[in-house]
Amino acid sequence: MFGKALVWMKGDEIVRVTARKDQWGEVEEFICDTCRFERKALSDWNIEGPRHIDRHSVISLNHYEKPKDELRVLDNPMAKEISEKDEK
C-alpha cells in the first residue's frame, strides 16, 4: 500500500510535498497543509523509494547524461577530433 503523499526531493532535501494522484490526474486523498508546507525534514517521512515516471511525461524531459568515456571512431581520415572544451 502506498502512502498519501508524494515527496519531491533534490538530493537529501525535500523540495515539495504533493498529494498522490490516480491515472486521470485526480487527487486520491487530500493531505493537510501542515504536512504540505511545514514538514520538510527527511525524518518526518517514510520514504518508499523512487517513483516510476512514464518516459513520455514532461517530468522526465532532459534527465539524461552524455556518456563521458565514449570511444569515437573517425571514418573520415581528414577529420580532426575535437576536445571536451570545444564541445561546450
Side-chain angles (χ1 to χ4, degrees):
M1 180 73 187
F2 295 111
K4 294 182 186 181
L6 276 175
V7 178
W8 297 74
M9 298 175 66
K10 187 170 187 178
D12 288 335
E13 178 186 1
I14 294 178
V15 179
R16 184 176 180 193
V17 179
T18 59
R20 192 175 289 275
K21 297 178 182 171
D22 62 12
Q23 62 186 0
W24 297 284
E26 297 173 349
V27 174
E28 292 178 358
E29 215 173 319
F30 285 97
I31 55 174
C32 65
D33 285 343
T34 304
C35 294
R36 287 187 66 201
F37 300 112
E38 296 176 15
R39 293 189 179 178
K40 297 290 186 175
L42 199 56
S43 60
D44 293 338
W45 299 96
N46 180 15
I47 307 297
E48 297 172 352
R51 182 175 181 168
H52 171 72
I53 297 178
D54 186 42
R55 68 182 195 98
H56 299 291
S57 171
V58 176
I59 298 169
S60 67
L61 292 177
N62 296 329
H63 285 232
Y64 56 86
E65 287 186 19
K66 187 175 179 183
K68 301 252 187 239
D69 298 328
E70 182 181 313
L71 180 64
R72 297 182 209 167
V73 178
L74 300 175
D75 293 332
N76 184 352
M78 300 297 289
K80 296 180 182 177
E81 189 168 351
I82 59 173
S83 67
E84 288 183 18
K85 183 179 80 175
D86 295 330
E87 290 180 347
K88 293 181 183 177

